[in-house]
Amino acid sequence: MQHRLAILDDYQDVAHGFADWAALEAEGVRVVTYREPFASPEALVAALADATMVVAMRERTAFPREVLEKLPGLQLLVTTGMANASIDVAAAVEQGITVCGTPGSPTAAPELTWALLLAIARNLTAEEKFLRAGTWQTSVGFELAGKTLGVVGLGKIGRRIAAYGRAFGMDVLAWSQNLTAEAAKEAGARLVSKDELFRQSDVATLHLRLSARSENIVGEQELRLLGPEGVLVNTARGPLVNQDALLKALSEGWIRGAALDVFDQEPLQAGHPLLTAPNTVLSPHLGYVTRESYRQFYGGAFEDVTAWLAGAPIRTITP
């Protein structure tokens, strides 16, 4: 049979530059890329009606059970990274779909996190705008040295952030549901309760996976504890933070500001209230968008597809 491979959400139209998809086409595989997100699940199903293989970029497109059940021809679903909360892996496996993952960059997201923190600490986005408009120096920033950094989630990314904080002379606190004092100490942080982390931190940064347990883990209580001099950084997942509480915190001055790379719905739509919220630095989910990261994502996806076609799937993901 002739296979059709759909590469989804190639926003920058760069997928073909990071893997040799033409080699698959030479073998008779039809490769189709989609740049724009689908307007609805129905549009997604229609576009993938004859697709046997799909490469999904992170959580940009969701594959819940109700979508997968309408794609009887789908045989291979590749996600970039080794976890994707927007794919119902159990439903896929039940349907006989092989799900595979890829390697990813351990440094792209932490570096972007620190860039956002520095940008909000020194008011860089606002100052650049004013400079280009002809105004010289409009604000006074703050230094990180001597401040307290609260890391929520001390996994691979959180541990790097803790190291960055120490390098900048910050005292580092950490909390997550299953974190132990020993693990925190090994990462150069001190374990505290969630309330204490937000109460003591000058900067609270989120590095948890999104799950039913972690959704809305930061709400009004945590934001009020962070206080009028505190900064929230979120480069993990938008729904970790209660959006209504965050908007109120920004508009009423409960916190100094927020630096955000992730949002409840992506891409962020025109007119979204966060676009005009005060004291924010926003980026369009760039945490993993680097050349090095894309080489691993698309290169790994290419390896997954070729291995599956050869009858020896690699990096399979199970429920």
Side-chain angles (χ1 to χ4, degrees), residues 234 236-240 243 246 259-269 272 274-275 281-286:
N234 187 10
R237 291 295 180 268
L240 294 174
Q243 182 176 273
L246 177 58
L260 309 172
D261 186 47
V262 290
F263 308 92
D264 282 9
Q265 292 184 334
E266 299 178 4
L268 201 61
Q269 299 298 307
H272 192 284
L274 277 173
L275 293 173
V281 173
L282 310 178
S283 57
H285 205 156
L286 296 177

Side-chain angles (χ1 to χ4, degrees), residues 212-251:
R213 187 171 66 164
S214 63
E215 186 172 0
N216 287 324
I217 204 162
V218 176
E220 178 172 344
Q221 176 176 316
E222 290 75 21
L223 293 169
R224 287 192 181 277
L225 287 172
L226 191 55
E229 297 302 314
V231 170
L232 180 73
V233 181
N234 187 10
T235 59
R237 291 295 180 268
L240 294 174
V241 181
N242 183 287
Q243 182 176 273
D244 291 339
L246 177 58
L247 286 167
K248 195 172 183 181
L250 291 166
S251 64

Side-chain angles (χ1 to χ4, degrees), residues 8-9 36 51 57 64 108-109 149 182 186 235 288 296 307 316:
L8 306 185
D9 297 308
E36 300 298 325
M57 173 59 74
L149 175 69
E182 181 181 7
E186 289 176 354
T235 59
Y288 56 89
Q296 294 191 60
T316 56

Side-chain angles (χ1 to χ4, degrees), residues 43-161:
L44 171 65
V45 168
L48 302 183
D50 62 346
T52 54
M53 303 178 289
V54 166
V55 172
M57 173 59 74
R58 305 306 298 132
E59 288 90 2
R60 291 177 182 177
T61 294
F63 284 90
R65 179 180 294 271
E66 53 269 27
V67 166
L68 293 168
E69 288 176 345
K70 295 175 182 177
L71 297 172
L74 184 59
Q75 299 175 50
L76 174 66
L77 178 53
V78 177
T79 175
T80 53
M82 288 303 297
N84 189 328
S86 68
I87 294 176
D88 188 332
V89 177
V93 172
E94 287 174 21
Q95 197 169 305
I97 301 169
T98 301
V99 183
C100 297
T102 75
S105 168
T107 55
E111 288 181 4
L112 190 278
T113 300
W114 212 252
L116 288 175
L117 175 52
L118 289 172
I120 198 166
R122 303 303 291 270
N123 305 305
L124 289 183
T125 55
E127 289 293 351
E128 184 197 25
K129 180 184 69 174
F130 284 118
L131 175 61
R132 292 180 184 278
T135 301
W136 189 261
Q137 294 188 357
T138 67
S139 61
V140 178
F142 68 91
E143 299 175 15
L144 300 184
K147 301 294 194 300
T148 298
L149 175 69
V151 183
V152 180
L154 207 58
K156 292 180 180 179
I157 295 175
R159 289 196 297 272
R160 284 185 178 270
I161 294 301

